[in-house]
Amino acid sequence: MTVEHNSAEVPVVIVGAGPVGVTAALLLARRGIRTVVLERHREVYPLPRAVATDDEVRRILQAAGVQAEFAAIARPARGLRLLDAGHRVMAEFPRAAQGAHGFPQTSMFDQPELERVLRDALARTPECELRGGVEVVGVEQDGDGPVRVTYRDDEGEHLLRADAVLGCDGAGGLTRDAIGAAWEDLHFEERWTVIDVRTSLPVRCWEGVDQICDAERPATFMRIGEDRYRWEFRLRDDSELDHERLRELLAPWVDLAHGADFELLRQAQYTFRARLADRWRRGRVFLLGDAAHLTPPFVGQGLCAGLRDAYNLTWKLARVLQQGADERLLDTYESERKPHARHVIRLAVAMGWAMTGGQDGAAALRRGVLGAAVRIPGVTAAAARDLSPALTAGPLVRRRVRLGGRGLVGGRGLVGGRGLVGGRGLVGGFCPQPWVSVGGRRTRLDELLGDSFAVLTAVPLSPSLKAVADGLGARILSVAGLGDDGSLADWLRAGRADAALLRPDRVVMDIVPSGGRDFTGTAGWASLLHTTRSPSPSQQTVEKTLLRSSTR
């Protein structure tokens, strides 16, 4: 069968049905965008890979509609410890039971279970179609025309014409080559052995992640579930581990007596690399997740980074495809996400150095510096926050506004997360997500705000600001009387803002400064978000607003 006899048109094709691809499909479905997801495997990959996520990413899973199901399979973790070769604590970085996003700051999980949760949600969503057991053999785009995706299955070759293609096909996929992207090497490559086990034996466990900083045998250990554990070792050879070798390696944590209840689920060798694609987009083809960036696992941000990609891109793509927003809006995906991905990779490489820099002449000095540093108030919180710094200034992050000569609006916050409370401003960081009460019902803030733009305000909005909000389709919500113990009002006050304009991904795009009358940078972002059509007949846009008139 040839492609000419078996072709179809679809708004978005997603190559790869891993967590990033399926989450992207679910997020697009929430905005009415139909997708076809192409995956070479028919079933969920059964072996564990990613095992950790943070509260920001749990908020993304909430937006995708699977938070309750994920909560049932997740296990909160206490944080991260750095141990020396004798397993003495060098530094400890605790994580809160509830972060500002409304979830535990670190959660452990089993990736196959997460993938089944996501696949089940995909099957319940009529806007999403999964085609498994297929091989994508071509992704092509000529000029401004649709993207041509060719794939093979048992029946032959097929062609899909798509308005956009999301490449979630990993480091070895073809989408990156299709857009002419090349890897930038960030100078880290090590071979590690990963061991996943199930046991009822008593395991000496901190209920967090342990990183063993030992030049001879660096290692990572964590508890994943009730009876599930993972060890990672950098070994001198890749040979299979027999029982005696396992007993030796795991002795600091558990006694593996012969005949003990101990099931080796997986032993695999991985090469941990640090790489970044030099481009993430060409036309309407985009790279997400491991197709765009590879990070060593030492700060647990590999999968997290991919889900952040999906959250950042999908609302922008939906606004372009569904409402006719400016194509330049899609350029902000790479300009916002790439610096963050680079930052996380560098943190992971630095942690890898701390683990493998080892017990040399500088080891004692490093232990002393780490021990002293973690006793300084705020240092451990700052280390956690640096996993997700505020977005840098750009078209959708208006941070170049002076307040009484005291500096720029923007910058990092003072509460864990991405700029959640700003000593220097709110813009570019996330809005926190407290529990709120509406009509006697307790719910999370995002459930109240919906999937589009939102304005949180401590003062009545002027008619012009209301018009801008209406033009964006933003919900306006007063922070007074929300039953959140005043946390949102305090957040605005700390950021010297009377109101905050939230993007659909809950990043603060702009503010009304305290005592001000308008948003600070409407002229900068309005032209990108200007739409030429309503998302649905029932949602009519305002004829004349600052949002529309700014493009004339």
Side-chain angles (χ1 to χ4, degrees), residues 281 284 316 319-321 323-332 525-532 551:
R281 175 196 179 196
R284 289 285 186 84
K316 299 171 182 177
R319 195 164 184 91
V320 170
L321 296 182
Q323 295 173 256
D326 195 299
E327 190 81 10
R328 294 175 300 151
L329 179 62
L330 301 176
D331 292 333
T332 66
W525 46 256
S527 61
L528 294 185
L529 299 171
H530 167 82
T531 58
T532 59
T551 64

Side-chain angles (χ1 to χ4, degrees), residues 260-473:
D261 175 24
F262 184 87
E263 179 185 1
L264 180 61
L265 299 176
R266 180 184 65 149
Q267 176 191 329
Q269 284 75 43
Y270 285 94
T271 300
F272 297 156
R273 295 185 173 93
R275 292 180 177 179
L276 196 64
D278 62 351
R279 64 162 56 191
W280 293 24
R281 175 196 179 196
R282 172 171 283 175
R284 289 285 186 84
V285 183
F286 304 85
L287 303 180
L288 295 82
D290 285 354
H293 41 75
L294 294 174
T295 180
F298 306 123
V299 292
Q301 288 291 300
L303 178 60
C304 294
L307 295 183
R308 289 186 178 100
D309 295 342
Y311 204 27
N312 185 287
L313 176 59
T314 49
W315 75 264
K316 299 171 182 177
L317 183 59
R319 195 164 184 91
V320 170
L321 296 182
Q322 199 173 53
Q323 295 173 256
D326 195 299
E327 190 81 10
R328 294 175 300 151
L329 179 62
L330 301 176
D331 292 333
T332 66
Y333 164 60
E334 180 176 343
S335 66
E336 290 183 350
R337 284 294 307 135
K338 192 173 183 180
H340 177 262
R342 184 184 298 275
H343 174 83
V344 167
I345 292 170
R346 285 175 171 168
L347 281 176
V349 169
M351 182 65 72
W353 175 86
M355 293 176 65
T356 61
Q359 311 302 301
D360 53 18
L365 176 61
R366 184 174 60 252
R367 282 195 297 271
V369 170
L370 282 170
V374 296
R375 288 192 291 270
I376 299 173
V379 166
T380 54
R385 183 179 65 243
D386 278 348
L387 290 175
S388 194
L391 295 178
T392 55
L396 299 180
V397 179
R398 309 305 300 172
R399 296 174 64 192
R400 300 184 180 277
V401 178
R402 292 194 175 274
L403 291 177
R406 298 199 51 192
L408 301 181
V409 172
R412 294 175 183 168
L414 302 177
V415 170
R418 186 186 288 179
L420 287 164
V421 175
R424 293 175 58 196
L426 306 180
V427 181
F430 274 106
C431 167
Q433 183 182 208
W435 286 91
V436 298
S437 296
V438 180
R441 184 174 67 92
R442 192 167 179 259
T443 187
R444 298 182 190 272
L445 176 67
D446 288 359
E447 303 302 328
L448 182 61
L449 296 180
D451 295 318
S452 187
F453 288 85
V455 176
L456 294 179
T457 181
V459 300
L461 294 186
S462 67
S464 63
L465 286 177
K466 288 182 179 179
V468 172
D470 287 344
L472 287 169

Side-chain angles (χ1 to χ4, degrees), residues 172-246:
L174 61 74
T175 315
R176 189 176 54 261
D177 291 338
I179 70 169
W183 284 123
E184 175 189 354
D185 188 354
L186 298 182
H187 309 297
F188 186 93
E189 185 168 323
E190 290 187 350
R191 188 79 170 169
W192 284 61
T193 295
V194 179
I195 301 167
D196 285 285
V197 307
R198 176 179 286 115
T199 182
S200 60
L201 295 173
V203 179
R204 292 176 282 278
C205 182
W206 178 60
E207 297 297 346
V209 178
D210 283 342
Q211 305 276 25
I212 313 303
C213 302
D214 179 359
E216 293 300 314
R217 187 182 293 168
T220 302
F221 164 68
M222 66 205 75
R223 183 176 186 173
I224 299 172
E226 188 65 30
D227 60 352
R228 284 277 319 282
Y229 303 88
R230 169 173 291 185
W231 284 268
E232 299 170 357
F233 296 95
R234 193 188 69 181
L235 303 178
R236 297 185 182 278
D237 61 75
D238 295 338
S239 59
E240 289 288 323
L241 302 177
D242 59 22
H243 186 81
E244 289 305 314
R245 180 70 165 138
L246 271 175

